[in-house]
Amino acid sequence: MARIFSGIQPSGSLHIGNYLGAVKNWVELQHKYESFFCVVDYHAITVPYEPADLRARTADMALSLLAAGLDPSKCTLFVQSMVPEHTELAWIFNTITPLGELERQTQFKEKASREESVPAGILNYPVLQAADILLYRADLVPVGEDQVQHLELSREIARKWNARFDKRPATSPRAKPTHDSSASPHESFFPEPKALLTPSRRIMGLDGQAKMSKSLGNTVELLEDPASIWEKLKPAVTDPARVRRTDPGTPEICNIYHLHKAFSPAATVEHVAVQCRTAGWGCIDCKKVLHEAMEKELTPIRARAKEIAANPKKMKDDLARGAEHARVEAQKTMKEVKQKMGLT
């Protein structure tokens, strides 16, 4: 069975951008692939933070992931810092990654332009991402289009390491990403992970100006109460051409319409488009229908979150078991990496 890996930063509880853009897809993938999902707290410390806050945000993210439908009996869910081999492999990859490759990364250039003093961790961020993925020798990585460049760097690092150190077959290679049990093993120790593009489009914030982000204050939280969600939806940006109730609109440029596509049944989405183009509904009418559709999906998630929060020991145990299983796999990888590199 093919193996997948993906991670998410501990930003606290999920918002619907995280959920629709990644986690909802993970919930489906855990039944199709051998799945490793990680709360990447080492990635979160490249910016100033309070330790107690990081600890709380990590716990909140884990709770949200479980409430959203990740099942510890179906996937391996853990916190990155509980598996020290992540940073061990990252250092090894730093020794073979050209500085120019890192400086060309789009996200590095964007972040560095906003910093007076750029931490080395921001430059090396994608090297740690590569280590996260390759530590488990993942075949596929569920990503959005904005992460494809970082994944290509992971593929390049795998190629460089294999070319330099993989002088003999791995002692226990995993099978290629296939369901055919007769398939041959990986030709190289580290597979070159392929992107498994997330089906949902980029989720814009309620301001309609940028990607949904807590730092921009344009989010709807996954566990937010219905009244609060409605108060956020009411002023949310729609098609700017619909100044008056009788003005027809273009649903394809309206962010509320795209949220309908994520939450509403297909027949409702089609009806919404017609009502927008003909000015049959006002924008508030459209938002009311969206709110109802969102509640159908979010209500059971909130209920699961309450159950999980009522039994914190179980969540702690689930994460510990996930980390234990992840570390077993990580140690297998590092044992062979060290043997091949002359480190043991």
Side-chain angles (χ1 to χ4, degrees):
M1 180 183 291
R3 179 178 288 178
I4 66 174
F5 175 92
S6 199
I8 188 167
Q9 282 215 33
S11 57
S13 60
L14 287 169
H15 58 68
I16 62 170
N18 307 134
Y19 173 67
L20 297 174
V23 178
K24 187 175 182 179
N25 188 39
W26 293 1
V27 173
E28 296 181 6
L29 293 176
Q30 69 182 336
H31 301 289
K32 301 176 182 177
Y33 300 98
E34 184 184 7
S35 302
F36 287 74
F37 299 121
C38 181
V39 181
V40 290
D41 53 344
Y42 277 138
H43 287 285
I45 64 174
T46 58
V47 296
Y49 71 97
E50 292 295 329
D53 181 53
L54 175 62
R55 192 173 294 112
R57 287 189 283 113
T58 300
D60 287 345
M61 177 56 70
L63 185 150
S64 292
L65 292 173
L66 292 167
L70 289 187
D71 183 348
S73 70
K74 301 292 184 183
C75 68
T76 301
L77 176 64
F78 64 104
V79 176
Q80 184 184 32
S81 60
M82 296 175 73
V83 183
E85 287 78 7
H86 283 256
T87 49
E88 186 177 15
L89 186 58
W91 172 251
I92 285 172
F93 286 162
N94 269 318
T95 68
I96 62 169
T97 305
L99 176 62
E101 291 281 356
L102 300 178
E103 291 176 330
R104 282 192 290 272
Q105 295 293 306
T106 301
Q107 290 193 18
F108 168 72
K109 289 189 286 189
E110 290 176 352
K111 292 178 180 178
S113 68
R114 300 193 296 264
E115 299 286 342
E116 183 176 339
S117 176
V118 183
I122 292 179
L123 180 70
N124 293 318
Y125 192 103
V127 179
L128 181 55
Q129 282 188 321
D132 295 338
I133 297 163
L134 296 174
L135 185 60
Y136 303 100
R137 301 175 67 200
D139 305 298
L140 300 166
V141 182
V143 292
E145 291 182 359
D146 59 338
Q147 289 292 320
V148 171
Q149 186 186 38
H150 280 176
L151 183 58
E152 182 53 42
L153 181 64
S154 298
R155 291 166 57 82
E156 179 62 25
I157 288 173
R159 284 193 290 269
K160 284 181 179 294
W161 191 94
N162 288 334
R164 185 169 176 182
F165 297 110
D166 192 24
K167 306 299 184 183
R168 57 184 175 80
T171 57
S172 56
R174 294 195 309 104
K176 280 186 175 180
T178 179
H179 296 291
D180 182 359
S181 60
S182 65
S184 60
H186 284 302
E187 294 179 0
S188 300
F189 181 73
F190 284 120
E192 294 181 24
K194 296 180 180 178
L196 190 62
L197 288 177
T198 300
S200 293
R201 67 185 290 276
R202 184 180 184 185
I203 305 301
M204 299 295 288
L206 297 182
D207 56 5
Q209 300 298 311
K211 183 178 178 180
M212 191 170 282
S213 168
K214 289 186 178 181
S215 63
L216 298 176
N218 61 4
T219 64
V220 172
E221 302 301 305
L222 193 68
L223 305 181
E224 201 163 342
D225 66 89
S228 178
I229 292 176
W230 176 240
E231 288 304 310
K232 288 184 174 182
L233 285 180
K234 281 194 296 185
V237 172
T238 57
D239 179 357
R242 298 208 67 187
V243 178
R244 294 178 295 273
R245 167 69 173 74
T246 54
D247 291 333
T250 305
E252 289 77 15
I253 65 173
C254 177
N255 195 39
I256 295 299
Y257 173 70
H258 288 290
L259 288 174
H260 269 293
K261 291 173 71 175
F263 284 105
S264 299
T268 301
V269 172
E270 184 177 348
H271 187 60
V272 166
V274 171
Q275 295 301 313
C276 180
R277 290 192 181 98
T278 63
W281 282 352
C283 292
I284 284 292
D285 299 317
C286 183
K287 291 172 180 177
K288 286 179 179 177
V289 176
L290 172 62
H291 188 237
E292 291 173 3
M294 290 174 68
E295 279 307 296
K296 286 182 180 178
E297 185 158 345
L298 300 183
T299 296
I301 293 175
R302 287 195 292 263
R304 285 195 296 270
K306 288 182 179 179
E307 292 178 6
I308 296 165
N311 189 359
K313 184 180 183 303
K314 184 179 185 306
M315 184 178 81
K316 184 177 180 180
D317 291 345
D318 286 339
L319 292 174
R321 280 191 295 271
E324 182 179 5
H325 178 244
R327 193 164 191 202
V328 168
E329 294 300 313
Q331 288 174 337
K332 290 178 186 176
T333 297
M334 292 309 303
K335 180 179 179 181
E336 296 205 44
V337 164
K338 289 179 178 179
Q339 287 175 344
K340 290 174 182 291
M341 295 182 70
L343 293 171
T344 55

